[in-house]
Amino acid sequence: MLAETPMQRERAETIFEKSKPGRRAAVLPEAEVPEPTLEELIPAKLLRSEPPRLPEIAEPEIVRHYNRLSRRNFDLDSGFYPLGSCTMKHNPRLNERIAALPGHARLHPAQDPKRAQGALELMWLLQRSLAEICGLPHVSLQPSAGSHGELGGLLLTRAFHADRGEARHKVLAPDTSHGTNPASVTMAGYEIVKVATDERGGVEMDDLRAKVDDDVACLMLTNPNTLGLFDENIAEIAGLIHQVGGTLYYDGANLNAVMGQSRPGDMGFDIVHVNLHKSFSQPHGGGGPGAGPIAVSDRIEPFLPRPQVVRRESGNGSGPHFDLDHERPKSIGRLRGFQGNFGVFVRSYAYILSLGADGLAEASETAVLNANYLKARLAGGRAGTHLPIAFDRHCMHEFVLSGKPMKKELGVATLDLAKRLLDFGFHPPTVYFPLLVEEALMVEPTETETKESLDAFAEAIEQILAEAEADPEKAKSAPYTTPVRRLDEVKATRRPVVRQSLGG
Amino acid sequence: MLAETPMQRERAETIFEKSKPGRRAAVLPEAEVPEPTLEELIPAKLLRSEPPRLPEIAEPEIVRHYNRLSRRNFDLDSGFYPLGSCTMKHNPRLNERIAALPGHARLHPAQDPKRAQGALELMWLLQRSLAEICGLPHVSLQPSAGSHGELGGLLLTRAFHADRGEARHKVLAPDTSHGTNPASVTMAGYEIVKVATDERGGVEMDDLRAKVDDDVACLMLTNPNTLGLFDENIAEIAGLIHQVGGTLYYDGANLNAVMGQSRPGDMGFDIVHVNLHKSFSQPHGGGGPGAGPIAVSDRIEPFLPRPQVVRRESGNGSGPHFDLDHERPKSIGRLRGFQGNFGVFVRSYAYILSLGADGLAEASETAVLNANYLKARLAGGRAGTHLPIAFDRHCMHEFVLSGKPMKKELGVATLDLAKRLLDFGFHPPTVYFPLLVEEALMVEPTETETKESLDAFAEAIEQILAEAEADPEKAKSAPYTTPVRRLDEVKATRRPVVRQSLGG
Amino acid sequence: MSRYTSATPADRDEMLAAIGVGSVEELFAQVPEPLRLGRPLDLPAGMSEAEVYERLAELAARNADCEEQVSFLGAGMYDHYVPAIVDAITQRSEFLTPYTPYQPEISQGGLQAMFEFQTAMSELTALPVATAGLYEGPSSVASAAYLAIGATKGRRRFVVSRGVHPHSRETLATYATGFGATIEEVGLEGGLTDAAELADAVDGDTAAVILQNPNFLGAVEDVEALGAAAKRNGALLVVAVDPMTLGVLRPPGECGADIALGEGQPLGNRLDFGGPSFGFFCGTEALIRKMPGRIAGETDDVDGRRGFVLALQTREQHIRREKATHNICTAQALNALAATIHLAWLGREGFRELGELLVRRTAYARERLATVPGVELLHDAPVARELALRLDAPMGAVLDRCAERGIAAGYPLGREYPEYEDGLLVAITERRTKAQIDDLAEALGPVIQAEAGDLVANSATKSPGGA
Amino acid sequence: MSRYTSATPADRDEMLAAIGVGSVEELFAQVPEPLRLGRPLDLPAGMSEAEVYERLAELAARNADCEEQVSFLGAGMYDHYVPAIVDAITQRSEFLTPYTPYQPEISQGGLQAMFEFQTAMSELTALPVATAGLYEGPSSVASAAYLAIGATKGRRRFVVSRGVHPHSRETLATYATGFGATIEEVGLEGGLTDAAELADAVDGDTAAVILQNPNFLGAVEDVEALGAAAKRNGALLVVAVDPMTLGVLRPPGECGADIALGEGQPLGNRLDFGGPSFGFFCGTEALIRKMPGRIAGETDDVDGRRGFVLALQTREQHIRREKATHNICTAQALNALAATIHLAWLGREGFRELGELLVRRTAYARERLATVPGVELLHDAPVARELALRLDAPMGAVLDRCAERGIAAGYPLGREYPEYEDGLLVAITERRTKAQIDDLAEALGPVIQAEAGDLVANSATKSPGGA
Ligand SMILES: Cc1ncc(COP(=O)(O)O)c(C=O)c1O
Ligand SMILES: Cc1ncc(COP(=O)(O)O)c(C=O)c1O
């Protein structure tokens, strides 16, 4: 019998603690030029007296440190990761290979567009592809992530209304909306107004009608929404918003359900953000990078951020060329430096080229099939009793269970179930979101999972529930086998220690 | 308490067992050309009826399979790996980056030398560098590993003697020699004659004198030898062999001890192989690839393998160019296809450029320092009692302990100690080699280890021995925490199962 | 089934049976018919891996990258050498493929890396609190402004030096329409922020004074002196810094900065035509609960083992929604990891040496380039790693001619600084050798002469420039 | 201290004190003074990482690689597309940096991968036993010959087709001086091994008959028919195969081969100017204890868990020394892993499809090229992935002219086959598109015309070649 796993035995030590004076990894080139003292070049008062206390450590131990650290992460390339709303789909290594080509990786962002034609063409092609997928004619690639796209979309809305001499103050969003939606609303200077959810999991139409007026700048919607359900009233909703002159914003986090099946533009949305790190396979990197391009309708186009990638016909018949258009008088301006997360564009465009029209449609189909299958598996057995589905209808690419009965009857909270799943080698679903569902468990298997993985996950849930029926403590004290066990999050927030102390 | 570690719980399943008919990862390009049936192009009797039963599995699960598998390996980038004789030194990632450049990785071996000047120049530069390090003027890069170099060296010896009208039959090697030495001797058609070791760990001179005669083709020596000791009589030994017209072969596995300090050529050796995967940082790859270039003296040069990389002055004053010289009438011929393990040459040359003259000398110095320090640490405490040093003098880059007292007094064999070290997160030293030392433990820390790692290793040994004094069963049943525990090697050899059965 | 999906026809049948429907079609019935696309997307058919590679390698080859050109382009992103271990480690699946560490027990690798990143950035800036990172540089400036509104109880006026990166100022302007804030720009004088104008501009309604150091023209500012106006008026002092200069330049935390932030690309990140990189964001203890984005914090597990978690999550959108300090969710964790590894690789001494190398090579470049006929210094303030010139010839033509010789000569200032229509910003990294600097000088001379004709004749005899 | 070593001056002092010496120098005292080098090595000083990169990237740029040229070079190594997952996985430290799995408990990753490799190669060749791999192709032929001596109780005569790769025949000849063996070569007739000559050559002293399929001229041999002579005389039938053809060609195990081996490069390995790659080596059950190199075998641990170990180590040098079946130690494990991953990626169907694609494109290329004036087929035997032509113009000049057009037209046969001085071997992979084949055809015509003058006039009207 073992007291600890090998990883548990290995106590955390930061790279700063492994430092020893005099060690180093980097050797720098010779200066080759005259070497006056720094004070001869820059006034002493503007100079630093002591270098920052970075670690002193030779290369082999740096490599070991981060290699060992890496193994303290669970990752998508090791196992099932049904983190709802995050679309943890396979990250093809092909895309990494292509992104690493020097023509991409070592291309300076201020390179003259004449000498960056390949990059601009790729961006233009990605814009066209996303426009087609979203069913909206214009795309800006600038936003760095979904939430950045949301902010951009709301600033577009503001500019759109300002251009018409209007100042509106309210933005509507359902109570199931993602936290970034209201946060973006606040940052964009609007007031958020929550709309209720009906018993089928869609927007409560009466509530919506009651709240729609001409102070409404925008309605932000995720469709399928964060319950994994397609809002069947979307056409009517769009009508209501457009009637009062508002814009309809599509949070594209769930686009993976509808690629090649249904298009936000066709549903009536004016502005869509696309999370390239979700539907388009950019690896999540432990929390980024991503990218959140926005697709918009004609009426929003004039306000898109600057610069915009454009294709121009050469007058001289030498074929089209690509450029950055800065002359956009109505533009909201920049959302960030340079042209956006180009490295992400490369990966996502490689993904689109790999799958093609059919492949994208098939991906969404399989994502929906996998979700419904897993939902069906979990509707039986103990999960059916303890973890009922929140809204009982076919789902799209994800679904939400409620751990309320489990908590009530077994004393085991959703959090406990999640922690116990860790011992079974699974990443837990998203927990406690959407807020609407008590003890929520949001499951998104994605299309790249096998039926075997789904079955194994369902069996693990069954086993955990069986175990909890016999002894709820088992789950409540879980996990047991992870590199560290349950952590004191309260302490970390009450008395935050957010950097390694180095004394002095 | 835990019944099993997470890795132990995960039972081995091969990629073939994960196969499911109809799945696939590769999508192939369209043929683009006419597609007659194969029988129209190749007679049916020469065609295969059923494709080989390769796995059917989509890319995400292939990646997961090998990622998970990888974590069932201990590796140099995770911890201390003092595997004697193998020089497990840090493998710089820079070298991987350079080897992956398309100009290296996608260069066809049959490219016309005119259009492979960079590759040939690199090979030539590596030849010159190894010649300088070995103190011998000519180098062939062809051999694929040390043992291949040995075979090559013996065939060179044969050719050298044949050229003088001699046919000799015996090759001498000390009883401490590595297994490849006698195996190469046999393959080269010679008879091996063992030479004894004296009480200082060097060649027993009387025994050598008794065995040297004019039927001796060659003496193969490792210096420092596999005990980690420099043979102080090397000059005399060389004299004895040369006197009878034999060649002196240097097994370069231990070159890491003497780079920039002492050169085999200066010691009197005629032929040297260099394991680029040891002293020159080519990663070991789980058992290759490596490369075993040979450096030779003038008298051996005419017999070197074909083709040889040469630098030629252009008659027209346009500077030198590089070529493959096939016109070597006395050459022993090829030892393999094309030009050798070029990818390994790139890595090792990058390493030589990185360290330079001083760095290489410093590497050997530090390797020797680290070995002697660890030896000193292990001379104290329980190791000093249970695991005495086999030959008590300063060592070079490695040293050999004997577990004989430990086995006798505690009933714990060297193998048990090695297995118990696994639980402490260390790769064990080489065990049961050299054969001369009973219950041998051969420790080579290399220069890239920190003092802290050496200390931790010494402390682990101390702890294991303390534990063994109290309860020898602890070691004898070790390991406990590895992905699998002690394996039945006898069964694997008695009733070998060497492939996955697929039924049918 | 594609190469990335696994549902065989047999699987599909079993799965549909378990669901209790006859086809996947039925599952999509919730999408009203008129909204179904009903046709294939108008995109090309899928391609094999080799074909995708060839196609995109072909596009990549149409870019003039820094492997092919000798590049003096900077302006916020720099062609530093990224050590091989950065790629090797960041490409490990364990770092590459997980998401934000919501489950800390199985995310200690990422969380500890964040903690180390925070420590490193805190050391660089000499400020006690660092976040785990924002999107990139310019939007971090806007995020600092947003924070300043809250930290000053709603002041909505920003005083910004024209030495701040134009992209940062433009981004701030974009965001400010949402914040309902106003921006006042302070001009440059001799390459440096006009101290008097700045002092005048700051008032009791000012939420923040925003500076950049070195500023966009490469000049090293006296941040402490400039910042006094902010202190006097209770405004935050926000300083955007080039992290690569912080081995030698006085860190913002020692100059009175409340917030130091910047573009992180120079630390271990590729150029990538502008992204992804990351923004770092550091501040005083007082601001910790107002910070944007993730922060890793140290704690213990139930058995007393040291561990790390996302701390202070109550600042964040997923908990606080409309009351969050920021809307950021997916950020740039992998890019921050790259920086952490790069900094560990450089180490304390290497980081300082690199800073010194940049300063010395830049000084050499300035002296050398100033001797070129037709070139003069745009300012003679001290510089660290980038310098500004004026050229006596049409900028576009000069840059094209240099490009023909394989040199990207620098960043033309004209678009963003009409006052410096003839201005060129030249950046130096440790990859730019003395020989390359000399080549640039030797290329510029004849190129300017050719483009400017005899305009340059009268400046041909001047002596080396500089201070 | 270098960047890779850690002993600081303080460490050194402590360590020397523990050892009980005053300097490292003292430790080297065992090296007699006259043998001490006493001067620095005559090598350049160490360089920074960036400088080493630049220097070697510069050398690399002086090679015309397959990224830059359209290459029809083959002759044993082929420009196949290596899927990205191969690099991603083989570059993981866990596979890249350990050594041979002597400690199986901590080497299950490598051992299981070997076991999978063996299974895959066994499937490909249809022989029950596969080893974990040898150095590369040609030396594997010599290793098979060595085995054959033992398996035939000391026969020392090999009959070898001239269709076997010249490098294999040369390597065999080199080794044979050690084995004390003789070699008889059998000629080719119409591109194929002369069956009658072969039958005559084999006798009761013959240890092995060695064939290659497809042979060096690209022709598909009737291995079973040719092998009959070996069977009759109790010699082993050894067949070198191109693994990429084994999705479509009858596998050696079904043709009576005792040993099938070959160059593994086409499976997941880079060209690397010729290495490292690996040799695969498969045989019948009867030969298992005579096999060279590592073999992974399945077994159980003390708790009954399935595991893998190095099996049958008593064949090996480290146990059996001079009685070992071979001298190999460090082999090519990582390259074999690359092959395993590539094969899993191709999968059962993909592997067959790839074989078919090669056959069809090669057929197209043969037909297309044969229409070029000045080109005729060297033989019209069936081909799978490589074809042999005769050109009516000086070979060197034709190849140079094609190279100027960015095409490596193929492998000239002249050096190794004086009888085919005008012979050119053209290899096809899935990367060589129809358009590229057409380009080659279009380039060859004018080039030959230019080089050969009116010599070609009379062949200009001939019809497409082929069988
Ligand atoms: C529904 C939903 N909306 C918005 C977002 C925000 O996207 P991002 O993380 O890219 O900023 C997320 C992602 O986490 C999401 O799941
Ligand atoms: C002393 C000695 N000689 C020879 C060899 C054989 O070298 P290789 O494994 O490169 O064939 C080794 C390596 O293991 C060795 O340690």
Side-chain angles (χ1 to χ4, degrees), chain A residues 312-479:
Chain A
R312 297 207 164 104
E313 296 305 324
S314 305
N316 56 14
S318 69
H321 71 275
F322 300 87
D323 204 357
L324 290 173
D325 184 9
H326 293 265
E327 306 310 319
R328 302 183 55 78
K330 293 191 171 184
S331 168
I332 57 169
R334 284 189 168 276
L335 285 166
R336 52 162 292 160
F338 297 111
Q339 290 82 235
N341 282 344
F342 176 77
V344 177
F345 309 154
V346 173
R347 290 175 179 85
S348 291
Y349 188 60
Y351 178 75
I352 291 172
L353 276 187
S354 294
L355 263 61
D358 284 359
L360 290 172
E362 187 267 345
S364 285
E365 263 184 35
T366 306
V368 170
L369 175 67
N370 277 356
N372 278 284
Y373 173 69
L374 185 53
K375 182 167 87 61
R377 286 277 332 227
L378 292 172
R382 290 184 167 84
T385 312
H386 299 301
L387 279 177
I389 182 90
F391 291 84
D392 192 11
R393 39 182 276 214
H394 291 319
C395 64
M396 296 290 284
H397 68 304
E398 65 188 356
F399 58 93
V400 177
L401 304 177
S402 169
K404 190 175 160 192
M406 175 177 72
K407 187 170 178 194
K408 202 165 151 209
E409 289 146 27
L410 305 177
V412 170
T414 284
L415 185 71
D416 302 322
L417 176 76
K419 297 303 180 195
R420 187 66 183 129
L421 271 169
L422 302 178
D423 287 323
F424 284 76
F426 293 104
H427 196 289
T430 295
V431 292
Y432 300 104
F433 179 74
L435 306 179
L436 178 71
V437 176
E438 248 180 277
E439 296 287 320
L441 207 71
M442 184 190 208
V443 188
E444 181 184 11
T446 87
E447 73 277 14
T448 60
E449 293 298 332
T450 60
K451 177 171 174 297
E452 294 91 312
S453 286
L454 308 180
D455 288 336
F457 180 77
E459 280 148 28
I461 297 269
E462 175 68 16
Q463 204 175 325
I464 292 169
L465 291 172
E467 187 186 85
E469 285 175 359
D471 174 14
E473 274 315 306
K474 196 90 191 233
K476 289 167 80 174
S477 301

Side-chain angles (χ1 to χ4, degrees), chain B residues 84-86 144-150 177-181 222 226 251-254 273 275 277-278 290-292 398 433 442, chain D residues 99 102 135 294 317 327-331:
Chain B
S85 209
C86 298
S144 305
S147 71
H148 206 208
E150 292 170 21
S177 72
H178 190 262
T180 51
N181 292 187
T222 316
T226 60
D251 175 339
N254 290 348
H273 84 243
N275 307 64
H277 44 299
K278 298 185 177 185
E398 66 187 354
F433 179 75
M442 184 190 207
Chain D
Y99 192 38
Y102 295 123
Y135 300 133
R294 317 286 182 194
Q317 47 74 26
N327 71 335
I328 193 167
C329 176
T330 299

Side-chain angles (χ1 to χ4, degrees), chain A residues 64 68 71 78 449, chain B residues 64 68 71 78 423 449:
Chain A
R64 283 185 182 165
R68 297 179 86 123
R71 290 205 206 99
S78 302
E449 293 298 332
Chain B
R64 284 185 182 166
R68 298 180 86 123
R71 292 206 205 98
S78 302
D423 286 324
E449 294 297 330

Side-chain angles (χ1 to χ4, degrees), chain A residues 470-492:
Chain A
D471 174 14
E473 274 315 306
K474 196 90 191 233
K476 289 167 80 174
S477 301
Y480 304 92
T481 57
T482 47
V484 294
R485 298 185 52 218
R486 239 183 256 205
L487 289 153
D488 187 347
E489 306 209 20
V490 173
K491 175 181 168 188

